[in-house]
Amino acid sequence: MEKLRSLQNDQGNRNDPSYVAFNDTERLIGDPAKNQVAMNPTNTVFDAKRLIGRKFSDEVVKADKKHWPFNIIDDSGRPKIQVEFKGASKTFYAEEISSMILGKMKET
């Protein structure tokens, strides 16, 4: 039986934080995004998985929204994350943010 092993990311860590940050020039994922959260809180998304499968009116979404520095908007009853990216307002569903994180993990 083959043993499971944990792979290192490009920063040398064995786990990647689920953070995605957007700024004027690039999208950062994992440790680089987490490391700059204090400088760019409204455009750094974390805990997005908590929104998957929930309605905007869900009590959990309402409670979480109070603690997040990034904006959550109502898109036909679904919560959508709103950030500024390359000088423009962009919106993403939580599934899209999770996909960005998984894509980055697949690369390393």
Side-chain angles (χ1 to χ4, degrees), residues 89-100:
S89 180
K90 301 282 186 186
T91 59
F92 301 97
Y93 290 113
E95 293 86 349
E96 293 174 292
I97 298 293
S98 285
S99 177
M100 293 173 197

Side-chain angles (χ1 to χ4, degrees), residues 24-74:
D24 291 335
T25 59
E26 62 186 337
R27 179 184 71 188
L28 303 169
I29 299 171
D31 285 315
K34 187 175 181 181
N35 291 340
Q36 62 79 68
V37 71
M39 297 176 292
N40 185 21
T42 58
N43 295 312
T44 303
V45 180
F46 55 91
D47 289 343
K49 293 176 283 206
R50 294 181 58 81
L51 296 174
I52 294 175
R54 298 195 185 274
K55 300 280 186 204
F56 184 80
S57 59
D58 191 313
E59 291 302 319
V60 172
V61 174
K62 289 178 186 177
D64 286 344
K65 190 176 165 185
K66 293 176 185 175
H67 301 289
W68 286 330
F70 51 90
N71 196 26
I72 305 296
I73 61 170
D74 186 349

Side-chain angles (χ1 to χ4, degrees), residues 75-86:
D75 183 34
S76 301
R78 288 184 64 195
K80 206 164 187 185
I81 299 158
Q82 184 178 43
V83 295
E84 291 291 319
F85 182 40
K86 295 185 177 180

